[in-house]
Amino acid sequence: MAVKIRLKRLGKIRAPYYRVVVADSRTKRDGRVIEEIGKYNPTENPSIIEIDSERAQYWLGVGAQPSEQVAALLKLTGDWAKFKGEKDTASKVQVAEAKSVFVADEKKKPVLKPKTETPAKAEAPAAEAPAADEAAE
């Protein structure tokens, strides 16, 4: 059986994201897979690339052939260099910056108005009425 490491397309029209999968070369692109070893989302900025290095090394070691796209991803993550025995195995994947914490400006007036307490006051006289009835008895 010829085993390939390739991309499985998911997502909507014009909003694709992919899973890096190990599959028999004769199956459909989005068909049955042997194992999912990673994720790739090209629509984000920077692209999200997550590949389980240990499983990728295993499958490359037993003879699985990566597609051109997956080979490029493996070179970015450094897994291809590890497999070939090269020295430079550092990951070149860009990491997205962390979002900054929102801080409200204290100088500005609040936009939302507090709710009025009128419904609570309407309930208060009704609560006092049974107490007055008990006192009368």
Side-chain angles (χ1 to χ4, degrees):
M1 171 183 357
V3 178
K4 286 207 169 269
I5 303 174
R6 60 185 185 197
L7 296 176
K8 177 179 181 177
R9 189 183 193 278
L10 300 167
K12 298 187 284 186
I13 297 174
R14 294 181 203 85
Y17 62 93
Y18 301 91
R19 291 199 180 140
V20 180
V21 298
V22 178
D24 183 5
S25 63
R26 297 169 289 185
T27 60
K28 298 177 184 178
R29 178 192 69 179
D30 300 335
R32 199 177 91 199
V33 299
I34 298 170
E35 183 180 0
E36 293 180 0
I37 61 170
K39 297 176 186 174
Y40 172 53
N41 191 346
T43 58
E44 296 290 324
N45 191 11
S47 298
I48 297 172
I49 302 171
E50 299 173 5
I51 295 178
D52 185 0
S53 180
E54 184 179 314
R55 297 307 297 164
Q57 293 300 317
Y58 167 77
W59 283 108
L60 290 170
V62 296
Q65 296 296 313
S67 67
E68 290 181 26
Q69 297 87 352
V70 172
L73 294 177
L74 292 174
K75 287 176 185 173
L76 280 175
T77 59
D79 292 326
W80 188 253
K82 264 187 219 175
F83 172 66
K84 289 293 186 181
E86 298 172 4
K87 292 181 181 178
D88 186 27
T89 60
S91 176
K92 297 172 186 72
V93 177
Q94 296 178 355
V95 180
E97 296 178 12
K99 292 184 179 179
S100 60
V101 178
F102 177 76
V103 179
D105 189 7
E106 298 294 329
K107 295 177 184 176
K108 293 182 178 179
K109 293 181 181 178
V111 176
L112 300 175
K113 296 180 182 178
K115 292 184 178 179
T116 58
E117 296 295 326
T118 54
K121 290 179 182 177
E123 294 175 10
E128 293 173 7
D133 292 337
E134 291 175 8
E137 291 177 5

